[in-house]
Structures are given as C-alpha cells and as structure tokens.
Amino acid sequence: MAAAQEDGYRTPPAAVADIVTRAPSPAVSVSPGGDQLLLIQREALPPVADLAKPMEKLAGLRLDAATNDRHRTRSATGLTVQDIASGQTRAVALPADADLSRFTWAKDGSKVVFANTRTDAVDLYVLDTATAAARKVMTGGVNAIFEGPQWLADGSLLVLTIPEGRGAMPVESLTPRGPSIQTATGGKQAQNRTYQDLLENPHDEALFAWMTTSQPVIMSADGRSKRAIGTPRIYTSVTPSPDGRYMLMEWLEKPFSYQVPWSRFPLTSAVYTKDGKLVQTIAQQPLADDLPVQGVVTGRRNIQWHPTEDALLMWVEAQDGGDPRVKTANRDNLLALAAPFTGEARVLARMEDRASGAIGIEGSDDLIAYEYDRDTREIRQTLVDVTGTAAPRQIGIRNSQDAYNDPGSPLLTYSDRGTRVARMVDGKLLLSGLGATPEGYRPFLRRFDLATLQTEELWRNAGEQFEAVVDVLAEDGSTFVTSYESPTNPGNFRLHGGGEARFLTSFPDPHPELTGIKRELVTYKRADGVDLTATLYLPASYKPGDKLPVVVWAYPMEYSDAATAGQNRDSPWRFTRVGGYSPLFFLTQGYAVLDNAAMPVVGADPETVNDSFIEQVVASAKAAIDFTVERGFGDGVRVGVGGHSYGAFMTGHLLAHSDLFRAGIARSGAYNRTLTPFGFQSERRVFWDTPETYYRLSPFMAADKIKEPILFIHGQNDSNQGTFPEQSERMFAAVKGTGGTARLVMLPHEDHGYRGRESVLHTLAEMIDWFDIHVKNAVASAGE
C-alpha cells in the first residue's frame, strides 16, 4: 500500500476483540503465615490515552513527573482478603478509580502496605487483613522510583519520600546554555550496549536529580509518627540490619553520564545508625562507563546484610579486573565485615566463576552461594559457613540450560527478624521446581539434605493437569498451596494436606467459546539430528485430514549442546490461554499454530556460536514445516512465520535466506547489527572484532533478498536495548526500496511490548489480515 497514513485504529474480528478486552483473573498472594490469600483484581488493557501521559526519559528510566514515580499504566484495581481455612472472603473498600501497586506483607501477615496512584501523587495505605480495612497513612509525598515501602522488624515502615521544600520542577530554557559535549580521553575502552532513554543535557541531569532525590522516613503503621533518617540524596536502596540497629544506605553521586543508565552512575554505600548518624562508609564506586562486554565493576559490589546475623555486611569483589575474558581459577571473592565495620573484611569463599547471588538459610548462619560460568553455562551452588571454620562445600552443579536435571530452588520463608531465607527443618531444605521431563513438566516438592546431599521427593504433579507449588504452609512440607490448571481449568489455587486437596479459588474460564482447542506437545528432528520441540494448537473445528494454513511462531535460543537444545520445556496439560496480542488468536480464524517452535543455535564455543545462526534457524524452520506435512494438517505451502524482538530478527533472516514461507510478521525487532556494535543478545564479540559476522547477521544487509511479504510492527516508544524504532523504519525502507512487499505499523506511545487497548486490537487486526491475504489463500508456485 502506498499510503503513508491510514485513518485511525483498526479492530480484529468481533470474537477476537471481545476476548482481548475481558478482565483477567485476580492475582493471588499467600500470607507469610499461610492462613490468608490476598486476591488482587486486575483490569483489562488500559486505553492508549493512559500511555500518552507526559513522560520524562532520564538515565534509562521512564518517569511521570506528575506523580513523581515510574511511568506506568493502571493494572490492579481491587482487593479481597480470603481465609484459607474457612474460605470466607472480605472485600476491601478502596477509593474510586483505584490504581494499586507495591504490595508488601508484614512478616506476621496481619497487615499489607500498598500504594495508590492518583493523577498527581502516590498515596500509601495499610490494610488490616483481619478486618479488611485499608487506612491511608500518607497522602502524597511517596517517592518509590527506586524502592517501595518496606516493613521493619518492629512493625514500623521505612518509606522513601519526596523531600520537603525541594523546590519547583526544573524548567528547560528555550535558549540553550551551550552545546552538549561528551569526551573520550583515549587509553581505555568503553564498550557499552546501545542503551536508550539516557541523559542528554544539563536540564536532563537537573530533572533526574529533582525527581529521584528522596528522604528516608521511618513511620508507624498508622502513619501518626514519622522520623527522617539522614539527609536527602538519590537513594537507590535503604535496608535495615536484621537486628534493627543500622541502615545500609546507597545513593548515586555525580558525575552522571550520557552514555550509560543510572545503574552505572557513581554509587556510595554507607552504614548509618537507625537515628541517622554515619557509622562507616563501605564503598564508593566510580562511574562505570568503561566496563568490558558482560563485565562487572572492580571493588566492593552487591553489598547486602547477612539475613540471619545481627549486623554482618557481605559483598563480592572481582579478582579478574571485572573482565570475563580473563582466564583465572578465582574470578570472584565473597567477603564479610561485622559491626562496627572497621578493619579487614574476611574472605568467606573464593569463587571459580562469577558470583550470581546468595540465599540465607533458616536457623543457620550458612549461605548458599551461586556462581555462573558464562563459557560452560554451568551454575554452581556452594554451602558457605559464614561464622564457623568449615571450608566452603559444593552442593550442586549443572548446566543452566539442562532443564531435565534442574534440582529445584529453595522455598523461602520469613526469619523471626523479617528477612527472607530458605526454609530448613532438621538440616533439610524444601525445594520446588518445574520437573521437566521428555513428556512435559511435572512440578515437584522435595527435601534436600545438606549433609548427605540426598533428595527425597514429597510430592509430584501427576494426572492430566499442570500443578506447581506456590507456597508451603507446614515446616515439614506436609501442607502446601499449588497453582492448578488443566485443559478445562484456566488456573486456580489448591490446598494440599492430609493426603487430600481442595480448591481455594474458582476463577472461571476467560473464554469458554474457545473450549475445544486442541493442544499437544510435539517433537521432531532437524536434518542434523538435533531434536526439536513445539506446542501444536489446532482449532476446535479441526478434523483429521483437514489441510490448514499454518503459523510458525518462534524465538531463537543459543545452546552449548544438542541434548539440552532438544529438551521439552512445556506441559501438555496447561490451559490454552489466549490474550493480548498472542499468535494463538489465529486459531479463531482457522489456522493451525506451531507455537514456541524450537529454533536452537547450537555451538560448544559461545564465542562463535552465532557464526552458523542463519543455517541453523533455516534448518529448524524446514523441519517444522516438514513436520506439519507429515502430521497431515499442513500442506507445506500455506505457512507463515512470525516472532517478537529476537524472533523478529529471526523472521527477517528466514525470509531473506530461504523460500520456506509465504509471508512473515516481525514485531519490535532489530535488523541492522552495526547499530548495536558492542554486542547483542548473547553475542560477546564487538563489531570491530568480527565485522563480517555483524554484517552477515544483519537482515538489513539482505533486504534485497526478501521477496515474500513482511509486516513490520513496532512501538514508537520502544525502550529495549538495540531495538530502536528506527530499526523497523530503516528495514521497511530497505525492503521497499529494493522492490519487496512490506507494511510498516508504528504504534504511538507503545514500548517493546504493547499495552494500550487500541494498540493491541490494531496489532491483531494487522496480523490476521496480513496472513489472510498472503498465507491463507496462497497457492504453490511452479516447481513446489
């Protein structure tokens, strides 16, 4: 179509639009004591007008100056408290047009703090769960840009607030003070990814500081008493020590940067008393604008309190200069320093790989420390004796992509001081996991003995349903809550105990008119022998022998070996939920959908795995189409391909380097890799290391080979690294300029994913029409 603009938003067929605009089931949160549920009512998609509110793009953040908060749309609109034992429910009275967020339980489950956003401020409420009465404890003044309200051990609240008397919002002069200048002094590399929404000028700096500066306040749960701690700064985190005597306060300092987001700005970490007196400065990290690709800062990082000790700080220090390319047997050290935080820190563990987190353990000073090897993709778990003399002991290691051998993750509980720790009874942890098997997910609940490293299975999902543990209510794991779904149950919650199970909720089918859709996990092989998986959906009206148009929807992933690439990562017993701008809506129009069709890119060397990206995705796509023909529902001709983000990148390559598909849909993709010169996705090499790879992996460079029709859709406000809206604009121009058939849809105010009601409906209308024209009625050409 030659027209540059068409009038207004479009809508898909009425049956599709009706489903899209229905409100989803409530979200559910289990109380710390396991005796109550908080049901959070949610609304359907907001209007685009909500997305169109003024937005300040500052240092990698998107902010709403009117509310002094993150720029966001309304989702949660109502609350209900439900007793687990009796099933009794109590609706919570709330303001009209409530816009709720940041829900946090008190450790005893008696209260929940949450925020309510008005048009020009954020208020704070405390819900008494016994009476279901919600009381406003702060009218405006909340500054939750970096951290929401949190409960202290004594039942009071720690809140970051807007400083009193901060002055008027900075106004940008129409007359510039001068040019915006950046410098590179030479001598060091600064290989930064293509971040968006960065600071651009002194006004941006002033506005960023004005909006993010906060004053920490301790207030009573009823809001009647308030006490400031410290002075106003750009606090990114304020956390109390478990004994309540100290506060670890972290804040940003100048100089700010126009090249990296706020998370790379200079950061000071210091310990204060609860009364706001400085005890010790722990770290002063400089601007981190020159890190290597996938690198980390040197010096003290990830500073945090040990969750079960009185006042013990822990942090990690790189031993490789922060550069993952350095070969070393000791990449990170885990250290600790107790109050009064003077003297030398003690090394708790010397890590072979990059530290990736730690979990405290109930009733113990021990930690489970995690580390990750980016070359082998291995996750290592080490038990660290923090205050004793036992040497660190490895308790687990596996390939992070090996779903079949995932032992599960520790279930968490609250310590008596309100910190989150792994549950442990008699030296045994409780673990839950998805339980991937060749037949599909079978979630489980297990005990893991830290002394013997032996595992005991307490429960495993069985039967024609998909059920996973949400929370454990009894210390020994004998009573627990699960989420439950089946082909006919859309997702509800069940209580297990005493060998029986009963439903706690009864959320209805959100789209009963789609009952009968056929869902199946399928496997097939690529020509090189790699096993592939997908989830096949067939319309309710399908009869064996029918030949249907087929949609192949995919997202490529890198794997170190073929065995993990071919693993099954879904369940045949899930409910078929259709919503948003899902490709499953094609089922309503008579298509078969091969969703999550595996497009693995397999290579033992992560440095060079992308060198065969094109060949591998083409081979996987051919295997998928061959499967549809062998199974009898596809004709091998009427096949379209689509994907979002990296899936859109894949779609461009498949249309440029094969003739397998009749048309493609590419949403929010990146197509010219020279515009992301310091790496993309899992690619580590920079453009100047291997320009031929970046050139070859750019669909833009092969735009003249795209002869099948391609639909580009992109949010005009995309904030994702690398997927600038310009990527789709330039790719469309390239296809059009070289004689191809293409259509470009730019969605106003939309981000990388689409949220506005009109945008979602329009996206579905475009997708359905595109494939109806170019796929559903396609015929085989000569020679096919």
Side-chain angles (χ1 to χ4, degrees):
M1 184 173 291
Q5 178 69 44
E6 297 179 21
D7 290 335
Y9 287 101
R10 299 170 55 205
T11 58
V16 172
D18 183 50
I19 293 172
V20 170
T21 54
R22 292 175 191 169
S25 300
V28 177
S29 176
V30 182
S31 68
D35 58 342
Q36 299 176 97
L37 301 178
L38 182 65
L39 308 182
I40 305 171
Q41 284 80 43
R42 300 175 290 174
E43 71 171 1
L45 301 169
V48 167
D50 285 4
L51 279 70
K53 294 184 297 184
M55 174 188 293
E56 308 298 337
K57 301 178 181 181
L58 303 168
L61 297 172
R62 294 186 162 187
L63 305 177
D64 183 342
T67 61
N68 209 101
D69 199 358
R70 302 286 180 115
H71 194 282
R72 47 181 289 277
T73 56
R74 187 169 77 161
S75 176
T77 59
L79 299 174
T80 300
V81 179
Q82 177 177 329
D83 290 331
I84 287 180
S86 67
Q88 178 187 9
T89 60
R90 299 180 295 281
V92 179
L94 295 165
D97 298 320
D99 179 3
L100 313 177
S101 62
R102 299 184 174 92
F103 305 94
T104 305
W105 287 93
K107 68 174 183 178
D108 63 359
S110 65
K111 298 179 179 65
V112 176
V113 63
F114 63 91
N116 180 52
T117 301
R118 293 183 281 115
T119 56
D120 59 354
V122 177
D123 301 333
L124 206 61
Y125 284 75
V126 170
L127 167 66
D128 184 317
T129 58
T131 64
R135 175 176 181 168
K136 187 193 295 186
V137 297
M138 182 180 288
T139 302
V142 178
N143 188 343
I145 289 173
F146 287 120
E147 190 168 69
Q150 54 187 304
W151 292 100
L152 301 182
D154 62 3
S156 58
L157 287 164
L158 174 61
V159 185
L160 297 186
T161 66
I162 296 171
E164 293 184 6
R166 69 170 172 176
M169 177 177 169
V171 177
E172 186 170 15
S173 172
L174 296 178
T175 303
R177 293 168 52 187
S180 177
I181 298 173
Q182 302 179 51
T183 61
T185 57
K188 64 178 182 180
Q189 296 180 340
Q191 299 177 344
N192 296 308
R193 291 288 177 104
T194 49
Y195 300 110
Q196 302 203 52
D197 301 335
L198 300 177
L199 301 178
E200 295 182 356
N201 52 53
H203 169 73
D204 282 356
E205 294 188 56
L207 185 55
F208 172 75
W210 184 81
M211 289 195 66
T212 57
T213 296
S214 64
Q215 171 65 63
V217 168
I218 293 178
M219 60 184 291
S220 59
D222 60 10
R224 291 173 179 166
S225 65
K226 298 176 184 177
R227 176 168 55 87
I229 307 173
T231 59
R233 294 188 175 100
I234 305 177
Y235 292 102
T236 59
S237 175
V238 179
T239 55
S241 60
D243 66 3
R245 295 178 59 197
Y246 303 100
M247 293 284 175
L248 173 61
M249 309 180 82
E250 296 188 299
W251 63 87
L252 302 179
E253 303 265 22
K254 290 188 175 182
F256 300 151
S257 170
Y258 296 178
Q259 291 293 311
V260 294
W262 68 268
S263 57
R264 299 277 195 93
F265 290 180
L267 180 71
T268 294
S269 305
V271 174
Y272 283 73
T273 67
K274 195 175 179 179
D275 296 324
K277 296 179 181 178
L278 176 65
V279 176
Q280 193 66 245
T281 298
I282 305 302
Q284 291 180 299
Q285 282 286 355
L287 178 66
D289 63 348
D290 58 354
L291 299 183
V293 175
Q294 298 182 1
V296 298
V297 298
T298 57
R300 299 173 176 180
R301 75 177 197 275
N302 299 345
I303 302 170
Q304 62 188 56
W305 295 110
H306 186 293
T308 62
E309 292 296 298
D310 286 345
L312 180 68
L313 283 176
M314 305 184 301
W315 62 80
V316 176
E317 292 184 17
Q319 305 300 299
D320 59 358
D323 190 342
R325 298 168 297 185
V326 172
K327 302 299 182 182
T328 178
N330 179 201
R331 196 165 295 284
D332 271 337
N333 282 349
L334 176 65
L335 301 97
L337 183 64
F341 316 108
T342 57
E344 291 295 321
R346 182 164 60 93
V347 176
L348 302 178
R350 302 182 189 277
M351 298 179 165
E352 180 178 339
D353 302 313
R354 184 69 74 212
S356 59
I359 298 175
I361 300 174
E362 184 180 15
S364 171
D365 70 303
D366 290 351
L367 292 171
I368 302 172
Y370 295 82
E371 46 191 300
Y372 177 71
D373 185 329
R374 73 169 196 162
D375 291 331
T376 64
R377 294 190 170 92
E378 285 181 336
I379 298 175
R380 188 190 315 272
Q381 298 164 284
T382 302
L383 188 66
V384 179
D385 183 0
V386 174
T387 62
T389 59
R393 179 166 60 96
Q394 181 176 300
I395 59 174
I397 186 170
R398 72 175 181 91
N399 186 315
S400 63
Q401 297 178 318
D402 185 0
Y404 292 171
N405 288 299
D406 185 349
S409 300
L411 285 162
L412 302 183
T413 187
Y414 284 89
S415 71
D416 56 1
R417 289 172 167 175
T419 56
R420 296 286 277 169
V421 292
R423 288 178 177 268
M424 185 171 72
V425 178
D426 298 328
K428 298 177 181 179
L429 301 177
L430 287 177
L431 307 179
S432 67
L434 288 172
T437 73
E439 290 72 41
Y441 285 142
R442 285 301 186 187
F444 58 77
L445 177 64
R446 294 171 176 167
R447 283 197 194 99
F448 177 68
D449 192 314
L450 285 172
T452 66
L453 306 187
Q454 297 300 305
T455 298
E456 174 192 2
E457 191 155 282
L458 303 178
W459 172 86
R460 181 178 280 267
N461 171 217
E464 297 184 357
Q465 64 271 337
F466 174 71
E467 191 169 13
V469 174
V470 173
D471 202 359
V472 172
L473 309 188
E475 288 293 326
D476 62 358
S478 60
T479 307
F480 54 93
V481 174
T482 62
S483 62
Y484 174 103
E485 60 182 282
S486 73
T488 57
N489 189 310
N492 277 286
F493 290 78
R494 295 213 299 176
L495 176 66
H496 289 251
E500 298 181 348
R502 66 178 175 87
F503 280 100
L504 298 174
T505 61
S506 55
F507 304 140
D509 186 337
H511 38 61
E513 63 268 46
L514 299 185
T515 298
I517 286 176
K518 301 170 180 65
R519 184 180 191 276
E520 180 185 354
L521 301 188
V522 298
T523 60
Y524 46 96
K525 281 189 181 292
R526 204 163 69 181
D528 60 1
V530 174
D531 289 323
L532 302 176
T533 62
T535 304
L536 169 63
Y537 295 88
L538 295 170
S541 60
Y542 173 75
K543 296 180 178 58
D546 289 352
K547 300 294 183 183
L548 304 178
V550 177
V551 175
V552 176
W553 201 267
Y555 188 97
M557 298 284 291
E558 297 85 4
Y559 294 90
S560 55
D561 60 81
T564 55
Q567 291 184 350
N568 194 335
R569 296 174 176 85
D570 202 350
S571 167
W573 308 117
R574 285 186 183 273
F575 180 77
T576 299
R577 183 174 295 277
V578 185
Y581 42 91
S582 168
L584 297 187
F585 276 111
F586 280 109
L587 293 164
T588 67
Q589 306 303 303
Y591 292 77
V593 178
L594 204 61
D595 195 26
N596 291 320
M599 297 281 173
V601 182
V602 182
D605 184 354
E607 288 286 341
T608 59
V609 63
N610 271 333
D611 290 354
S612 59
F613 178 95
I614 294 172
E615 292 79 6
Q616 292 200 51
V617 297
V618 169
S620 296
K622 184 177 186 306
I625 295 174
D626 289 346
F627 166 78
T628 68
V629 175
E630 291 166 9
R631 275 290 300 266
F633 62 85
D635 57 18
V637 175
R638 295 179 299 159
V639 188
V641 64
H644 192 93
S645 194
Y646 209 48
F649 169 77
M650 169 207 73
T651 298
H653 277 301
L654 287 173
L655 295 189
H657 299 289
S658 79
D659 294 313
L660 297 169
F661 299 98
R662 284 296 174 267
I665 297 172
R667 300 188 319 217
S668 299
Y671 311 100
N672 185 345
R673 287 304 173 189
T674 68
L675 299 179
T676 56
F678 294 112
F680 56 91
Q681 207 72 4
S682 63
E683 178 59 56
R684 307 173 181 180
R685 299 166 294 182
V686 303
F687 171 79
W688 295 273
D689 292 337
T690 176
E692 64 282 357
T693 299
Y694 274 70
Y695 188 95
R696 187 166 182 265
L697 285 181
S698 295
F700 180 84
M701 307 303 177
D704 60 323
K705 298 179 181 178
I706 296 178
K707 302 306 179 185
E708 295 80 16
I710 184 167
L711 169 65
F712 297 105
I713 304 177
H714 213 121
Q716 287 185 340
N717 220 8
D718 194 332
S719 63
N720 187 54
Q721 290 182 26
T723 56
F724 299 102
E726 182 185 16
Q727 289 271 10
S728 287
E729 293 170 342
R730 295 298 92 210
M731 187 65 185
F732 167 76
V735 174
K736 179 181 178 182
T738 54
T741 300
R743 182 176 173 88
L744 174 66
V745 178
M746 301 298 292
L747 301 170
H749 306 296
E750 293 293 348
D751 204 328
H752 191 60
Y754 319 140
R755 177 78 177 138
R757 183 186 311 133
E758 297 91 335
S759 301
V760 170
L761 292 172
H762 188 97
T763 295
L764 290 170
E766 292 280 358
M767 290 168 56
I768 291 170
D769 283 358
W770 194 253
F771 275 179
D772 278 356
I773 295 169
H774 299 293
V775 174
K776 181 181 281 188
N777 299 311
V779 295
S781 59
E784 290 187 309

